[in-house]
Amino acid sequence: MNTTTTTDRRKLAIYWAAGCGGCEIAVLGINEKILDATAHFDIVFCPCIMDTKVSDVEAMDDGSITVCLFNGGVRNSEQEYMAQLLRRKSQVLVAFGSCAHEGCIPGLANLTDREAIFDTAYSDSPSTDNPDGVRPQTETAVDGCTLHLPLFYDRVKTLQQTVNVDYFLPGCPPEPDRIWDALTAIISGELPPPGSVIGAKTTVCDECGRSRQEKRIKHIRRTWQIAPDPERCLLDQGLLCCGVATRAGCGALCPQVNSPCIGCYGPNEGVDDFGAQMMSALASVIDSDDPEEIERIITEGIPDPVGTFYRFSLPHSLLRGRSKAAAVAETKVS
């Protein structure tokens, strides 16, 4: 029997910023354990499933929310405000999922800028019918009233680049077992030091049961080009599997079904830049000393280097995105 009183119960907030919404669905993936979670937590804010207003959160005492699972990167002014508000109201703020942790797929937009994104969305795409060139404005007068939209930022930022984060729970989305690990750690008070990534400290390769040999690659193949041997290491077979550089925690689910790891759990412990780590690992296994041959292997096998090596981590990486200097230089050339 649950003997926790209403006043003793912890308070849980879940917020969705610049992301796909998969992290919300992943919370439901803990299945019947969600009943155990609700025995300890009152959900006080979750716009995806309940009609709590921002004003309700603003009225809460600072620090009154026990834990906030904040998923999504910071793309606009509303998301930045909510990050600051929920940081103030929460005792524990968790960067929940890859978008909040590293920027993830929305962060690939950092290869361009706000104006170029708007050009594509509202002017240049073949399906766009916008002869007047209307674009979103932060304020628009309609029938005597003023409508407001958040300011769309030039760059996607991670949660940590916006406010101080207590813990990080990676994954796109986090696996249910890891979510439950995090919740039980919070319930028990047995949390790692602040700033820690909640999860394993090994790589996906350590969780993968495939047989491995000394890797010497002469070709990097796309997934549709071969039918992989289900027993052998995918990287040994020339498929670009990122398990060697990716933090464990998923149970190596993708390699189990002949699909290479794409790195959604982010860099392993002690690695500052996932893409650099993966490129270094790949460079060590290419079987050639001829620079032209090496270039051929890479260019034929990796047509999208940024999307391959920084798919989940561009805003969090040392690169962060396309530099302003490069953008200005390209404009002058064109």
Side-chain angles (χ1 to χ4, degrees):
M1 176 181 294
N2 175 30
T3 58
T4 306
T5 67
T6 301
T7 55
D8 291 335
R9 288 163 63 82
R10 299 167 176 87
K11 294 179 173 60
L12 172 67
I14 304 172
Y15 183 71
W16 173 2
C20 71
C23 287
E24 255 83 3
I25 303 302
V27 173
L28 299 179
I30 64 175
N31 297 324
E32 69 277 1
K33 290 178 181 177
I34 199 165
L35 300 176
D36 297 324
T38 57
H40 294 275
F41 292 100
D42 286 327
I43 301 176
V44 295
F45 183 62
C46 182
C48 184
I49 62 172
M50 58 192 294
D51 191 25
T52 315
K53 307 300 184 185
V54 173
S55 58
D56 296 329
V57 180
E58 291 170 333
M60 295 177 185
D61 292 336
D62 288 356
S64 60
I65 296 173
T66 310
V67 59
C68 174
L69 305 180
F70 188 109
N71 74 83
V74 176
R75 168 88 271 185
N76 62 40
S77 56
E78 178 182 291
Q79 293 159 357
E80 182 173 41
Y81 173 74
M82 291 305 301
Q84 294 167 347
L85 176 65
L86 289 166
R87 170 66 285 180
R88 193 165 67 250
K89 302 299 179 181
S90 303
Q91 298 171 28
V92 175
L93 182 65
V94 179
F96 185 73
S98 183
C99 286
H101 180 205
E102 298 186 285
C104 201
I105 304 301
L108 288 174
N110 287 2
L111 293 172
T112 183
D113 57 28
R114 178 182 184 273
E115 289 307 310
I117 292 170
F118 277 22
D119 284 343
T120 299
Y122 298 104
S123 301
D124 299 340
S125 66
S127 61
T128 298
D129 182 14
N130 187 13
D132 297 328
V134 176
R135 295 195 178 198
Q137 304 296 317
T138 54
E139 294 186 359
T140 303
V142 178
D143 296 334
C145 298
T146 302
L147 304 181
H148 298 270
L149 284 176
L151 176 63
F152 189 92
Y153 289 159
D154 205 46
R155 292 285 183 95
V156 174
K157 296 186 293 183
T158 68
L159 185 59
Q160 177 65 29
Q161 289 164 354
T162 307
V163 295
N164 184 53
V165 172
D166 296 303
Y167 299 102
F168 303 85
L169 187 61
C172 184
E175 287 298 316
D177 287 347
R178 303 292 78 76
I179 295 172
W180 185 242
D181 288 345
L183 290 176
T184 52
I186 293 165
I187 292 169
S188 66
E190 297 177 356
L191 283 162
S196 298
V197 177
I198 299 175
K201 296 184 179 181
T202 57
T203 66
V204 172
C205 284
D206 293 326
E207 292 187 332
C208 182
R210 290 171 174 267
S211 63
R212 296 190 287 270
Q213 301 172 346
E214 182 180 359
K215 296 172 176 58
R216 304 303 300 171
I217 297 174
K218 289 189 175 292
H219 301 280
I220 299 173
R221 304 189 186 279
R222 313 292 294 281
T223 54
W224 50 269
Q225 290 178 314
I226 65 170
D229 182 334
E231 304 298 328
R232 290 179 55 212
C233 169
L234 294 171
L235 190 56
D236 285 352
Q237 299 178 66
L239 288 169
L240 189 51
C241 185
C242 296
V244 65
T246 303
R247 182 184 295 271
C250 62
L253 294 176
C254 292
Q256 285 183 33
V257 293
N258 272 348
S259 181
C261 170
I262 55 177
C264 76
Y265 259 71
N268 192 28
E269 192 80 3
V271 175
D272 292 327
D273 190 294
F274 176 87
Q277 177 76 1
M278 189 61 210
M279 284 186 276
S280 176
L282 186 62
S284 69
V285 300
I286 292 178
D287 190 11
S288 178
D289 296 322
D290 179 8
E292 292 185 0
E293 176 68 5
I294 293 172
E295 183 176 358
R296 181 197 63 77
I297 292 171
I298 293 173
T299 55
E300 289 182 1
I302 311 174
D304 179 14
V306 176
T308 300
F309 298 117
Y310 291 97
R311 183 181 314 196
F312 298 98
S313 63
L314 185 60
H316 177 71
S317 72
L318 299 176
L319 299 176
R320 298 290 173 91
R322 189 177 70 154
S323 70
K324 293 292 183 182
V328 171
E330 287 179 13
T331 302
K332 289 180 178 179
V333 169
S334 59

